[in-house]
Amino acid sequence: MLIGLSQPGEPEEGELAWQAEALCAQTDPEAFFPEKGGSTRDAKKVCGSCTVRAQCLEYALANDERFGIWGGLSERERRRLRKRAV
């Protein structure tokens, strides 16, 4: 994830400010983009204790993210969620 260009110690601002609090930013990004058929367990475990999980999922749904674990859900799970919302 790309986080804004603010100086260290400065609060993040704007629509993506939540990313500064995201636990995935402190974790191996490979876990959030597993190979097809790979395990999503480690990424979902990190998401489970993340304080910005809801914002992350909202971002993924609004931006039609098609790859990776966002807000604790896989691509398939987000697709199902979108279909139910229609």
Side-chain angles (χ1 to χ4, degrees), residues 35-70:
E35 296 289 326
K36 186 170 182 144
S39 176
T40 60
R41 182 180 27 216
D42 290 342
K44 287 181 175 186
K45 185 175 180 182
V46 170
C47 293
S49 57
C50 186
T51 60
V52 294
R53 181 178 176 180
Q55 293 94 320
C56 181
L57 179 57
E58 183 178 318
Y59 172 84
L61 293 171
N63 292 282
D64 198 25
E65 288 290 345
R66 297 184 184 220
F67 301 99
I69 306 302
W70 290 81

Side-chain angles (χ1 to χ4, degrees), residues 62-81:
N63 292 282
D64 198 25
E65 288 290 345
R66 297 184 184 220
F67 301 99
I69 306 302
W70 290 81
L73 299 181
S74 68
E75 309 95 275
R76 182 178 295 156
E77 291 165 329
R78 290 191 306 275
R79 200 169 30 245
R80 280 190 220 133
L81 187 61

Side-chain angles (χ1 to χ4, degrees), residues 2-13 16 19-20:
L2 181 62
I3 298 177
L5 300 176
S6 65
Q7 296 297 316
E10 287 183 15
E12 295 290 328
E13 296 180 11
L16 300 179
Q19 289 184 350

